[in-house]
Amino acid sequence: MKKIIVACGSGVATSQTVASKIQSLLRDRNIQAQVEAVDIKSLDTHIRSSVAYVAITNPEKEYPIPVINGIAFLTGIGMEEELEKIIQALK
């Protein structure tokens, strides 16, 4: 199963909330994926096995996979566009 990672500073509060929201949105569309919240320190380890990275903070470097705006899933502003990027990455 393809994996999406969501990272924030601690990998607990905000990233868990966003990961749950994404998982629910994908399930509503009958799309299977593993959505995992991680702390920012372990991001490089998880990047290698993921198809997209949902960033809660602005990334400080380039990544070899699509970087999705995670704030959109907290505010709802631009969420559909960001969700579409995730769906495309899963194909």
Side-chain angles (χ1 to χ4, degrees):
M1 183 177 303
K2 293 182 179 179
K3 182 169 83 169
I4 306 293
I5 49 171
V6 183
C8 70
S10 66
V12 180
T14 309
S15 58
Q16 285 287 354
T17 300
V18 172
S20 271
K21 176 79 170 187
I22 292 169
Q23 189 74 67
S24 176
L25 291 166
L26 292 174
R27 191 177 308 117
D28 290 348
R29 289 162 177 78
N30 293 317
I31 299 171
Q32 290 190 348
Q34 176 184 350
V35 184
E36 185 176 335
V38 301
D39 68 276
I40 202 83
K41 294 176 197 146
S42 65
L43 182 60
D44 287 337
T45 303
H46 293 278
I47 286 284
R48 289 176 258 162
S49 61
S50 303
V51 297
Y53 161 39
V54 179
I56 305 301
T57 60
N58 286 331
E60 295 181 5
K61 64 181 189 177
E62 298 281 322
Y63 292 98
I65 61 176
V67 177
I68 311 300
N69 175 4
I71 299 301
F73 296 96
L74 291 172
T75 65
I77 299 170
M79 184 178 72
E80 288 301 321
E81 293 87 354
E82 297 304 308
L83 180 61
E84 185 57 36
K85 292 176 188 176
I86 292 172
I87 292 169
Q88 291 305 313
L90 289 167
K91 291 185 177 179

